[in-house]
Amino acid sequence: MTCLHLLLTLVFAVSLGTPVEIQRPRGVPLTKKPFYEENKPFTCLDGSRTIPFDRVNDDYCDCKDGSDEPGTAACPNGSFHCTNAGYRPMFIPSSRINDGICDCCDTTDEYNSGAKCENTCKELGLKERDVLQKMAEITKEGFLLKQQLIEEAKKGREEKQGKVTDMQENKKQLEEKVEALRTVKETAEQPEKEAKERHLKAWEEQKAAIRLEKDKAKMAEAFLELDDNADGFVSVSELQSHAELDPDADGTLTETEVQGLMGGAAQVDTSTFESVWTNIKDKYHSESQPEEPAPVETPPEEVKEPVVDNDSEPFPEDDISEEEDEDEDDEDDYHEDDDKVLPTVKTPEKSHEDGEAMLPYDPDTQTLIDAAQKARDDFEDSEKALREMDDQIRNIEKELSFDFGPDAEFTYLYSQCYELTTSEYIYRLCPFNRVSQKPKYGGSETNLGTWGSWSGPENNKYLVMKYEHGTGCWQGPNRSTTVKLTCGKETVVTSTSEPSRCEYLMEFTTPAVCQEPANMDLLPHGHEEL
Amino acid sequence: MAVISIERMGLLSVFCVCLFFSSAFAVDRGNFKTCDQSSFCKRQRALKPGQSPYRALLETLELSDSRLTLQLINDNNKVHLLLELYRLQGNMTRVKINELKPLKPRFEVPDVLIAEPPTEPLSVLSKDDNGIVLSLGAESQRLIVSARPFRLDIMEGPEVLLSLNSRGLLAFEHLHLRKDTQAQPDGAEVKESVDGDQQQDEVEKDEDGEGDKEQDGLWEETFKSHTDTKPNGPTSISLDFSLPGVEHVYGIPEHADDLKLKTTDGGDPYRLYNLDVFQYELYNPMALYGSIPVMLAHNTQRTMGIFWLNAAETWVDISSNTAGKTVFGKMLDFVQGSSEKPQTDIRWISESGIIDVFIMLGPKPSDVFSQYASLTGTQSFPPLASLGYHQCRWNYNDQEDVKSVDQGFDQHDIPYDFIWLDIEHADGKRYFTWDPHKFSQPKEMLQGLMDKRRKMVAIVDPHIKVDSGYKIHSEITSKDFYVKNKDGRNYEGWCWPGNSGYPDFTIPEMRAWWASMFAYDQYEGSMENLFTWNDMNEPSVFNGPEVTMHKDALHGKWEHREIHNIYGLYVQMATAEGQIQRSGGVERPFVLTRAFFAGSQRFGAVWTGDNAAEWGHLKISIPMCLSLGLVGVSFCGADIGGFFKNPSTELLVRWYQTGAYQPFFRAHAHLDTTRREPWLFGPENTALIREVIRQRYALLPYWYQLFFQAYRTGMPVMRPLWVDYPKDTVTFTIDDEFLIGSDLLVHPITEEGSRGVTAYLPGAGEVWYDVHTFQKHNGAQNLYIPVTLSSIPVFQRGGSIIPRKDRVRRSSACMENDPYTLYVALSPKKFARGKLYIDDGHSFNYDTKKEFIHRSLTFANNALTSSNLCPDCNFLTSSWIEKVLILGASKPSKVVLKMDGKETPVDFEFDSSMSVLTLRKPGMNAGDDWTLLLQ
């Protein structure tokens, strides 16, 4: 047998600075010492069996729970207690006893392995106390900051809620105002419309008269032109010289056709020419006027090309596009319709026929139009104000609806962004909004996820934020980011990494997660290894 | 990892379309040749069985003590071949056929045989005009050379064991000059010097006598966009083998296929051509990363092997006269006394080189293993730690990541020995370097692992970034060690680093230089706990034909065509040598390779390449490793979890449970997968994975001893059942369960949602013990086993003794001095036997200084005895025997330890429900002689 089996060991425990010698089997914590009474049969701590005391720590596993071998590696499920005087005591799995690796700072786990361990408990203790102290300070200050944040958030929330209430009230008033102005507008628009229609009608009549005059003049002119022999009659032969009048467009204007145009008469005088003029005026080309280029003469290629000049465009595209515009407008905008139907321009409408500008409105009509326009403007302004108010209310309500923590301590992060620059990238965390990454030296931004949810452990979900559905990865998932929050005085992104492809991990300190220090003077809230 | 980038980008649209039809990934078959697309395979396969044109010229026979030579003539073209026959020690015959006077030398594969195989005298028993009868020594074995047509038969008594050229498929495309004028436009080199007959029939087998002009692919061949210039023209060879009485053939890895090879009629032959296949498909004969041209034939009477020593592209056809028959049909034959004996016919086709075949005559499976081992060597004896668990991922991102994964294992109390770094660890994929940001302090990292008695593997691939500022590249360039293209300039191809050169590992000086790069002062940041992984050594060339090197690239005077399949072996050989040298020859190396060839077993471990997280891939890992084990490569494993894609938790757990009972135990994952360290799937699954890894560690003494045995004898570690039950025909097709050594039978669960499996327990009159419950089961039965997610059906053979170290610690090194528990599983005759092997676990001292303990453990006549198998060995261990469990025992009244002439009583307990006798703490040193008496 080559193994040393030290049954008992002397353990120095430091308690309040006074070393006390306590004898107990190796690896047993003080709290369990009463179960290991020397020279009395030992009962496994699970009660499964009782063995002679000399089988405790004899390097053979007798108890299923491993309790007979607290100081050896014999039991697969055992654990070893190191006192670690000067540092904190801990349990390690039995398998780490005498494995050649120093686990306990007091070196007690390596009593027979040849491993050269140094007692580092004192240093570790100092270091830990230092760290803990700093942590405690941070926690303390952080917690104070947190209180402020909570306070501010509370205030902010109240303010915002008050604001929303106020705004709701204002909104009601605004709505009423909008309705009132709508009535005013509609009232003003009725007489405007009537006056405009009157004006338009008058203008149309006037226009018709002018057109008639023009036509008559043209007819007279044509008669003179056609009457080649100036005998005061236009004859069949005289008319036949105008080949463009060919009704069947076969290229020849026959006598019969001309007779048809002339209503069977052989010749017409100025008075009877009127009926003939009606038949021919659309086709008639004055000999003195140059012919307008016909659209058909345009080379086909050009026709296919996008035509900028609408006047020469043979297809009525304007109409189509206008319809489309209106459809779109119907969908998204409720107020611009008015603009279109009732143009706000004060200039008179442009006539369809070139050079025939409508006459300016008479002063009475213009007064009515001006009044209606003002009513419209007032109405629109009020409606716009109402919309803005709505937006504001919605934004505040959205903000108020976020889960900013049990005490709203995370409120202050809202609409803020925090950056961390690494060797390659600039990472940007905008809490409750999104995480992104941008190459340091140019290149476009990549979305690493938008706000998803709190997803910390069950006991405190506010320790982890999850951002999801970022830019997709090739042959992989959409990017996502997990943000781990730790207590700190500052609000900073401290590190980022990509443990799996396109799954990012960000560490973020904030006072908002600082816990109330239970008792500043007491040591660990640090985790033990077991 | 496989080719992605370029190839993958190009295939993106194709994949997208495919995904509509199937969620499974699949290889793009179009990237790889079928036999029809490989001109020599097509030519050779067009030749059908019939009268061989070859005739043995008996008058040319020359017989020295151990070598017989004889000329063969092809009556169609009058080309003479030289046949050499050797009777080799250990019941083997070597048959070599080459051109008698080749235009220039044909390639013979070096560095595969460990030595020139020792011969034994051949004697002529009789000779007449029809042939010669030679004696193959004792056992009435004879070799008959028939003259017209040429044919060889190996007989034992009245039985024909094996015939060569019995179907007349011997075909030898002799070297000749190109006759048509297309090749050399200037006509300068078109000589008419060779005799006319020789040129008359370019392809001997093609009786129609089509010339070069008519036949495609003789002097040039194009596949996809790649043209293979063939300055030597057609050079292929082929030979057929008939195996009367054989219905089961195995081996010729690597293929993702069943253990028992299938007939290839109506499909493609099995292909041997080392290729980087992206997302390989299961159950087909396509080539994969490695090639071992060794086939085993087995029936209840005999096991034989055929080793076709050729490193060129090779295709293997298998046909069988019983393949199409149903069980009923076979029964009918039996009842009616049908004269037709089952027979399997094999045909090997290689693109170039010579015919060099070793026929291993067995007769037992273990004989074939030792015969093959005597030719190509045995499995290298790995460092003990490399039999532990390996944690790998593409990639562990930086030193911090490595540290946190390492800590994760301790936090979750899971043992592991190696953590691995893939290509991202290097600076711009310049191997032998470290990324200056992510791995700026490699020694610090390695020291951190060493403090935990753990190790690391970093990848070193054979493609070298073309970058004048990169030391490795500039040295290879200045030493002129790169492979050349056909024009004599350095061959360059596209791989991970971008444009890359490929060192010519066929040059011994190059390998020596490469090895020297692993010296601690050359490989900056390396330490003695850093080991190596050679990936992409097929070699993988992203923009090359079939994702590999152009066949007309040059290795000195030889074309890549000749050496292709051995390139990967050389890479691993040189790397392993480097690791040995850096320690002054003291420490054992550990090198993992993806590409391999016959003989690769001497240099380390292999894995089955880039598999996928699918149940089918888990299942196929068993036959794939079994096939490798049969042909020498015992140290085999598959990526646990599957390389591509994300495994379900159930699949991952099942894969750990399977992998823990396979020789090389490594988890690995693709860059695009989510993290899958063992503790990321909830406490229950962490516990399941922890449990099975612990089972592995407890069994390390058994694994280690089996590897020692494999190293000594060539016996595979992981083996098919038929190896140990050669007369039990039921076992011949089993490949969903396997044996580890002779004593553990494992039936992994490889089906999703499995509620139970049926395991076959072999051995009439034998018993098997469930290793978890000690429940005893009879052999020669199909046992239904209900399973849960925690079940891993494993049985210990009654009659065996397995030493375990049940104190599992965080790495194998930590367990070095721990005591053993002996698991003695009694046979129905209350007998058991086992072995125990102990050494330092990492050095060559076991070999150079005989520093090891090798003991025989025997239980007979109610006494368990440890006796020394190596009395002149010297090694001291502090390990002792803490416990002995005797399964199937009866309760003794007294147990006594006899040692050094003294007798001491030993405490014991007896569990009558399972008949388990536990001897408490007998306490003797594991290296001592002792006897435990049950009275």
Side-chain angles (χ1 to χ4, degrees):
Chain A
M1 237 170 285
T2 55
C3 280
L4 274 174
H5 305 307
L6 293 178
L7 177 63
L8 296 173
T9 180
L10 294 179
V11 180
F12 294 92
V14 177
S15 169
L16 301 168
T18 321
V20 179
E21 226 174 79
I22 301 157
Q23 251 191 352
R24 61 184 193 269
R26 190 195 297 275
V28 174
L30 260 181
T31 51
K32 287 189 178 158
K33 182 185 180 283
F35 301 109
Y36 296 84
E37 259 190 280
E38 206 177 337
N39 301 324
K40 287 193 179 166
F42 172 76
T43 302
C44 305
L45 296 186
D46 64 359
S48 57
R49 65 190 292 194
T50 299
I51 54 173
F53 193 77
D54 62 7
R55 290 194 174 180
V56 171
N57 275 347
D58 72 338
D59 208 14
Y60 184 89
C61 192
D62 293 286
C63 296
K64 275 185 184 153
D65 66 352
S67 58
D68 63 315
E69 297 294 318
T72 78
C75 294
N77 51 348
S79 59
F80 175 84
H81 183 263
C82 1
T83 310
N84 290 346
Y87 187 53
R88 54 195 156 110
M90 65 177 190
F91 286 97
I92 59 168
S94 291
S95 64
R96 293 180 194 172
I97 300 169
N98 290 328
D99 67 347
I101 300 164
C102 311
D103 291 285
C104 299
C105 64
D106 65 3
T107 76
T108 51
D109 61 317
E110 296 299 314
Y111 57 87
N112 193 27
S113 70
K116 285 173 191 148
C117 301
E118 278 175 42
N119 190 322
T120 55
C121 290
K122 207 173 164 187
E123 288 162 46
L124 284 172
L126 286 174
K127 215 168 159 188
E128 187 185 52
R129 268 188 289 281
D130 201 38
V131 168
L132 283 178
Q133 201 174 340
K134 274 186 190 145
M135 283 230 320
E137 274 163 31
I138 289 171
T139 309
K140 194 176 161 189
E141 283 180 55
F143 188 70
L144 287 176
L145 286 171
K146 183 181 174 180
Q147 298 313 307
Q148 284 177 29
L149 291 175
I150 292 171
E151 211 42 52
E152 277 166 30
K154 203 176 154 195
K155 240 184 264 167
R157 193 177 177 83
E158 278 162 9
E159 247 168 53
K160 274 170 189 145
Q161 270 163 345
K163 206 171 162 189
V164 168
T165 315
D166 289 353
M167 284 166 95
Q168 295 284 17
E169 190 52 42
N170 288 343
K171 185 186 165 191
K172 226 175 259 168
Q173 290 172 9
L174 256 177
E175 277 168 348
E176 282 164 16
K177 192 179 165 193
V178 166
E179 281 318 302
L181 286 172
R182 188 195 303 281
T183 316
V184 170
K185 182 190 83 150
E186 281 164 3
T187 317
E189 275 175 343
Q190 192 53 40
E192 180 206 30
K193 193 182 167 199
E194 285 163 11
K196 267 187 162 176
E197 276 168 6
R198 266 198 311 277
H199 180 83
L200 195 66
K201 200 179 165 201
W203 167 238
E204 288 296 334
E205 282 166 7
Q206 203 180 340
K207 236 174 26 182
I210 292 167
R211 218 177 284 141
L212 199 65
E213 281 304 305
K214 275 189 180 168
D215 192 42
K216 272 190 180 156
K218 251 191 198 165
M219 183 176 75
E221 205 181 320
F223 186 86
L224 288 177
E225 263 182 35
L226 285 169
D227 185 10
D228 287 339
N229 54 4
D231 65 347
F233 292 96
V234 171
S235 64
V236 169
S237 60
E238 281 167 343
L239 201 56
Q240 211 170 348
S241 68
H242 277 257
E244 78 267 17
L245 300 175
D246 181 11
D248 61 1
D250 63 354
T252 48
L253 185 58
T254 63
E255 208 176 300
T256 329
E257 283 171 338
V258 173
Q259 278 171 352
L261 292 171
M262 293 182 69
Q267 56 177 28
V268 288
D269 61 7
T270 45
S271 60
T272 46
F273 182 65
E274 198 175 334
S275 63
V276 178
W277 175 242
T278 315
N279 286 341
I280 66 169
K281 66 180 176 188
D282 288 343
K283 290 183 178 173
Y284 179 75
H285 280 161
S286 167
E287 284 151 17
S288 63
Q289 281 172 350
E291 267 187 57
E292 279 179 42
V296 270
E297 287 172 21
T298 320
E301 299 94 324
E302 282 181 27
V303 172
K304 281 178 191 164
E305 277 176 10
V307 182
V308 185
D309 182 6
N310 280 341
D311 290 327
S312 63
E313 172 60 52
F315 304 107
E317 273 199 352
D318 278 357
D319 295 349
I320 295 166
S321 64
E322 257 169 32
E323 273 170 33
E324 281 172 356
D325 284 348
E326 280 167 24
D327 285 348
E328 281 169 20
D329 289 342
D330 285 348
E331 277 167 26
D332 49 31
D333 250 65
Y334 33 91
H335 64 106
E336 277 178 32
D337 270 3
D338 301 320
D339 292 344
K340 287 240 163 142
V341 176
L342 298 164
T344 55
V345 275
K346 289 183 183 175
T347 47
E349 283 169 42
K350 200 185 167 194
S351 166
H352 297 292
E353 282 170 53
D354 288 353
E356 290 181 22
M358 189 170 76
L359 285 176
Y361 293 117
D362 62 76
D364 288 350
T365 308
Q366 190 57 51
T367 310
L368 287 173
I369 290 172
D370 290 349
Q373 189 56 43
K374 187 175 178 304
R376 270 195 295 272
D377 289 348
D378 290 348
F379 169 70
E380 276 154 22
D381 288 348
S382 68
E383 246 199 344
K384 196 179 164 199
L386 178 60
R387 279 199 307 275
E388 280 166 4
M389 175 75 70
D390 257 342
D391 286 349
Q392 283 179 31
I393 293 173
R394 231 177 295 146
N395 281 339
I396 297 173
E397 280 177 340
K398 187 185 167 198
E399 187 179 341
L400 289 172
S401 73
F402 271 102
D403 179 359
F404 288 129
D407 298 310
E409 61 268 41
F410 298 101
T411 311
Y412 81 108
L413 298 173
Y414 188 75
S415 75
Q416 300 293 312
C417 291
Y418 303 89
E419 288 191 346
L420 177 74
T421 304
T422 66
S423 55
E424 277 176 272
Y425 296 103
I426 300 166
Y427 290 88
R428 193 174 161 89
L429 166 65
C430 305
F432 306 104
N433 183 7
R434 68 199 289 262
V435 183
S436 60
Q437 173 202 53
K438 199 176 170 176
K440 210 167 161 185
Y441 307 105
S444 57
E445 194 179 80
T446 307
N447 180 356
L448 303 186
T450 51
W451 168 247
S453 59
W454 291 105
S455 51
E458 253 170 57
N459 58 354
N460 187 0
K461 67 171 177 169
Y462 299 102
L463 289 175
V464 178
M465 287 173 157
K466 188 88 192 160
Y467 293 81
E468 295 155 323
H469 311 299
T471 313
C473 271
W474 185 75
Q475 261 211 353
N478 281 15
R479 287 174 175 79
S480 62
T481 303
T482 302
V483 180
K484 282 191 179 167
L485 281 64
T486 49
C487 166
K489 285 188 281 184
E490 316 268 316
T491 304
V492 224
V493 177
T494 54
S495 77
T496 63
S497 57
E498 189 184 354
S500 291
R501 184 81 140 181
C502 302
E503 291 178 11
Y504 295 81
L505 179 68
M506 204 168 244
E507 301 205 26
F508 186 56
T509 65
T510 161
V513 293
C514 296
Q515 297 292 319
E516 182 168 14
N519 185 338
M520 296 291 185
D521 304 324
L522 271 183
L523 275 180
H525 80 294
H527 48 275
E528 289 193 358
E529 213 176 305
L530 255 180
Chain B
M1 72 222 69
V3 179
I4 50 163
S5 56
I6 302 169
E7 292 288 325
R8 195 157 72 172
M9 296 305 279
L11 297 173
L12 182 56
S13 56
V14 179
F15 282 136
C16 290
V17 173
C18 292
L19 287 174
F20 285 109
F21 302 103
S22 151
S23 63
F25 287 79
V27 66
D28 180 13
R29 287 187 182 222
N31 278 344
F32 303 102
K33 288 184 185 179
T34 60
C35 176
D36 252 8
Q37 290 167 319
S38 192
S39 74
F40 76 91
C41 185
K42 187 181 181 182
R43 288 197 303 277
Q44 289 279 8
R45 232 189 174 199
L47 176 59
K48 300 297 175 204
Q51 178 85 4
S52 175
Y54 287 96
R55 184 158 55 85
L57 303 173
L58 298 179
E59 64 278 14
T60 63
L61 183 141
E62 285 178 39
L63 179 65
S64 71
D65 208 22
S66 57
R67 175 175 183 259
L68 179 148
T69 61
L70 187 64
Q71 288 180 26
L72 307 180
I73 186 167
N74 180 339
D75 279 329
N76 288 340
N77 61 13
K78 308 291 181 248
V79 173
H80 287 244
L81 302 180
L82 181 70
L83 167 76
E84 294 174 75
L85 291 173
Y86 299 88
R87 182 181 155 215
L88 302 183
Q89 281 179 18
N91 205 13
M92 288 182 282
T93 301
R94 182 180 192 177
V95 179
K96 276 176 92 166
I97 302 174
N98 196 353
E99 289 180 52
L100 180 66
K101 288 175 187 165
L103 206 55
K104 57 185 185 180
R106 296 183 65 117
F107 186 71
E108 299 188 32
V109 188
D111 300 310
V112 169
L113 301 178
I114 49 174
E116 198 51 40
T119 54
E120 287 187 344
L122 269 173
S123 56
V124 175
L125 294 177
S126 67
K127 181 182 172 188
D128 59 24
D129 287 350
N130 296 321
I132 314 162
V133 179
L134 297 157
S135 164
L136 288 176
E139 298 167 37
S140 65
Q141 277 182 357
R142 283 156 297 142
L143 174 61
I144 298 163
V145 184
S146 306
R148 188 189 293 264
F150 165 67
R151 161 182 176 137
L152 290 176
D153 292 277
I154 295 176
M155 317 243 337
E156 186 174 84
E159 301 274 321
V160 177
L161 300 180
L162 174 139
S163 311
L164 281 71
N165 199 31
S166 51
R167 290 189 298 152
L169 296 172
L170 168 63
F172 212 104
E173 291 180 335
H174 60 281
L175 289 163
H176 59 280
L177 292 172
R178 190 168 187 175
K179 207 177 176 187
D180 67 325
T181 51
Q182 286 169 343
Q184 273 83 21
D186 57 355
E189 289 182 44
V190 180
K191 296 172 192 163
E192 292 292 335
S193 60
V194 189
D195 62 290
D197 287 341
Q198 206 165 335
Q199 296 212 352
Q200 206 162 35
D201 206 343
E202 308 300 349
V203 188
E204 290 91 340
K205 66 196 180 296
D206 197 332
E207 309 237 341
D208 296 340
E210 278 180 293
D212 290 356
K213 282 172 219 163
E214 287 101 322
Q215 277 232 343
D216 285 335
L218 290 176
W219 295 89
E220 189 177 282
E221 182 169 353
T222 300
F223 178 67
K224 299 190 91 175
S225 61
H226 301 283
T227 297
D228 175 16
T229 66
K230 297 178 165 182
N232 296 322
T235 57
S236 74
I237 54 171
S238 163
L239 180 60
D240 67 278
F241 300 79
S242 292
L243 296 156
V246 169
E247 288 180 86
H248 296 86
V249 287
Y250 308 94
I252 55 168
E254 179 176 45
H255 300 100
D257 207 351
D258 293 326
L259 174 66
K260 176 192 184 295
L261 297 171
K262 294 168 183 148
T263 60
T264 57
D265 305 324
D268 255 13
Y270 283 97
R271 189 182 189 202
L272 294 173
Y273 192 59
N274 295 358
L275 291 175
D276 179 0
V277 182
F278 178 64
Q279 292 175 343
Y280 60 77
E281 253 179 70
L282 307 183
Y283 304 108
N284 74 48
M286 286 174 73
L288 286 180
Y289 312 94
S291 302
I292 301 183
V294 178
M295 186 185 285
L296 267 54
H298 176 74
N299 61 25
T300 53
Q301 302 305 307
R302 179 180 286 272
T303 309
M304 293 186 291
I306 299 169
F307 171 27
W308 175 267
L309 179 49
N310 190 299
E313 180 184 343
T314 296
W315 299 78
V316 185
D317 255 324
I318 299 168
S319 56
S320 157
N321 64 353
T322 56
K325 282 189 187 167
T326 58
V327 173
F328 180 74
K330 286 184 192 174
M331 225 156 67
L332 207 66
D333 282 353
F334 179 76
V335 173
Q336 294 173 343
S338 164
S339 60
E340 198 183 13
K341 196 177 175 186
Q343 175 168 314
T344 298
D345 295 309
I346 316 296
R347 177 185 192 188
W348 298 78
I349 303 168
S350 288
E351 186 174 12
S352 57
I354 64 161
I355 293 173
D356 191 359
V357 196
F358 297 82
I359 297 154
M360 300 170 282
L361 290 170
K364 295 197 300 294
S366 58
D367 295 325
V368 176
F369 300 134
S370 69
Q371 284 155 6
Y372 180 63
S374 74
L375 298 173
T376 66
T378 59
Q379 177 66 54
S380 63
F381 188 36
L384 174 60
S386 66
L387 298 176
Y389 173 61
H390 298 260
Q391 182 65 39
C392 186
R393 174 176 179 83
W394 177 23
N395 211 97
Y396 284 119
N397 297 327
D398 48 31
Q399 287 180 218
E400 204 47 50
D401 198 0
V402 168
K403 197 172 174 183
S404 77
V405 171
D406 177 72
Q407 285 169 350
F409 278 93
D410 288 343
Q411 275 157 18
H412 298 91
D413 202 16
I414 299 172
Y416 89 96
D417 270 84
F418 282 81
I419 188 164
W420 292 52
L421 296 180
D422 210 321
I423 53 172
E424 311 297 331
H425 85 278
D427 181 9
K429 279 94 177 177
R430 293 170 186 88
Y431 307 108
F432 298 101
T433 71
W434 304 84
D435 184 295
H437 301 293
K438 297 166 180 165
F439 294 92
S440 58
Q441 303 298 326
K443 285 198 175 179
E444 203 176 275
M445 170 176 66
L446 288 164
Q447 187 60 52
L449 292 169
M450 199 180 283
D451 291 344
K452 296 262 194 79
R453 307 183 77 174
R454 288 173 177 150
K455 297 163 177 64
M456 175 171 264
V457 169
I459 199 163
V460 174
D461 286 352
H463 49 259
I464 301 301
K465 186 178 176 70
V466 174
D467 168 8
S468 55
Y470 174 30
K471 183 184 87 171
I472 300 290
H473 168 71
S474 49
E475 286 205 30
I476 295 173
T477 307
S478 70
K479 292 175 191 298
D480 200 22
F481 279 158
Y482 274 127
V483 174
K484 302 290 183 288
N485 65 24
K486 62 181 162 54
D487 305 320
R489 292 191 305 275
N490 283 348
Y491 178 90
E492 287 180 3
W494 206 260
C495 210
W496 295 123
N499 197 31
S500 305
Y502 291 77
D504 190 350
F505 283 90
T506 66
I507 306 170
E509 294 77 19
M510 152 63 210
R511 295 199 298 273
W513 172 83
W514 178 267
S516 73
M517 288 298 101
F518 289 89
Y520 295 120
D521 58 348
Q522 291 291 327
Y523 190 167
E524 278 177 41
S526 69
M527 283 176 43
E528 60 267 36
N529 64 338
L530 179 67
F531 296 83
T532 311
W533 167 21
N534 294 145
D535 196 358
M536 316 295 281
N537 52 338
E538 293 75 23
S540 178
V541 181
F542 291 168
N543 58 343
E546 301 191 86
V547 203
T548 192
M549 192 171 277
H550 293 72
K551 284 178 172 172
D552 53 11
L554 292 171
H555 301 258
K557 65 172 178 171
W558 299 110
E559 283 188 289
H560 183 69
R561 184 186 329 279
E562 310 282 356
I563 68 98
H564 176 84
N565 281 347
I566 198 178
Y567 185 85
L569 175 145
Y570 278 132
V571 175
Q572 194 191 18
M573 176 195 256
T575 304
E577 184 56 33
Q579 279 189 13
I580 294 170
Q581 282 178 15
R582 69 176 184 179
S583 69
V586 174
E587 298 294 322
R588 283 176 241 168
F590 173 73
V591 182
L592 178 75
T593 183
R594 190 171 71 182
F596 50 80
F597 189 65
S600 284
Q601 70 270 16
R602 305 197 298 268
F603 309 111
V606 306
W607 94 106
T608 60
D610 299 345
N611 61 1
E614 291 167 7
W615 289 91
H617 276 267
L618 166 59
K619 200 178 170 69
I620 206 83
S621 71
I622 302 171
M624 286 180 82
C625 280
L626 286 175
S627 296
L628 275 160
L630 289 175
V631 296
V633 179
S634 268
F635 207 0
C636 168
D639 285 348
I640 286 165
F643 178 66
F644 293 113
K645 309 213 296 175
N646 294 307
S648 67
T649 303
E650 184 191 358
L651 176 58
L652 184 68
V653 168
R654 289 300 189 202
W655 212 316
Y656 269 101
Q657 293 172 342
T658 305
Y661 287 92
Q662 290 175 349
F664 177 56
F665 183 28
R666 182 184 74 150
H668 187 31
H670 187 274
L671 187 67
D672 287 338
T673 61
T674 48
R675 285 287 181 132
R676 53 168 99 139
E677 284 72 45
W679 49 87
L680 295 176
F681 302 88
E684 298 86 2
N685 295 302
T686 304
L688 291 172
I689 296 171
R690 176 194 299 121
E691 169 57 23
V692 72
I693 297 180
R694 291 173 72 113
Q695 287 179 22
R696 168 67 170 223
Y697 274 77
L699 278 168
L700 282 178
Y702 181 59
W703 282 103
Y704 198 46
Q705 179 250 313
L706 288 174
F707 269 91
F708 182 69
Q709 188 191 12
Y711 159 73
R712 279 271 184 101
T713 67
M715 277 302 283
V717 170
M718 172 180 169
R719 21 177 124 137
L721 270 57
W722 64 259
V723 168
D724 282 83
Y725 298 88
K727 292 190 188 301
D728 183 351
T729 53
V730 177
T731 65
F732 293 1
T733 54
I734 291 178
D735 62 5
D736 58 352
E737 65 181 49
F738 55 89
L739 292 167
I740 302 169
S742 299
D743 302 338
L744 280 185
L745 182 143
V746 187
H747 189 109
I749 311 295
T750 57
E751 303 282 343
E752 186 169 17
S754 184
R755 311 282 286 274
V757 291
T758 301
Y760 179 71
L761 302 180
E766 294 191 28
V767 292
W768 293 87
Y769 298 85
D770 183 315
V771 299
H772 310 296
T773 64
F774 305 134
Q775 168 93 47
K776 187 162 75 175
H777 302 281
N778 288 325
Q781 67 154 325
N782 282 304
L783 179 69
Y784 180 78
I785 308 152
V787 298
T788 64
L789 197 51
S790 65
S791 310
I792 315 159
V794 182
F795 301 89
Q796 184 176 344
R797 189 176 59 82
S800 68
I801 300 174
I802 293 180
R804 288 198 217 168
K805 282 190 175 178
D806 283 336
R807 303 184 181 188
V808 174
R809 303 190 188 246
R810 63 187 132 192
S811 73
S812 65
C814 293
M815 296 161 65
E816 184 185 355
N817 299 316
D818 280 339
Y820 292 89
T821 296
L822 303 180
Y823 287 76
V824 180
L826 297 184
S827 72
K829 290 180 178 166
K830 306 291 176 198
F831 176 83
R833 178 157 48 198
K835 281 177 185 167
L836 176 62
Y837 176 85
I838 308 171
D839 65 13
D840 66 14
H842 56 86
S843 79
F844 281 113
N845 293 350
Y846 71 93
D847 185 37
T848 53
K849 300 180 182 170
K850 290 203 130 191
E851 288 182 2
F852 63 89
I853 292 167
H854 199 199
R855 303 201 69 85
S856 166
L857 304 167
T858 310
F859 185 97
N861 306 319
N862 274 329
L864 176 64
T865 305
S866 170
S867 53
N868 200 346
L869 287 170
C870 185
D872 58 338
C873 286
N874 54 342
F875 185 74
L876 293 178
T877 178
S878 46
S879 295
W880 48 289
I881 311 295
E882 68 169 327
K883 198 196 282 193
V884 178
L885 264 77
I886 304 174
L887 316 181
S890 38
K891 190 178 180 179
S893 56
K894 191 177 157 193
V895 178
V896 170
L897 171 64
K898 273 177 73 173
M899 212 175 141
D900 302 328
K902 279 179 256 174
E903 293 198 6
T904 28
V906 173
D907 282 328
F908 64 88
E909 281 172 42
F910 185 72
D911 172 3
S912 54
S913 67
M914 288 291 168
S915 303
V916 178
L917 176 68
T918 305
L919 310 188
R920 187 188 188 280
K921 207 181 174 192
M924 52 283 191
N925 185 282
D928 283 346
D929 288 331
W930 48 263
T931 298
L932 282 163
L933 291 168
L934 312 188
Q935 293 166 339

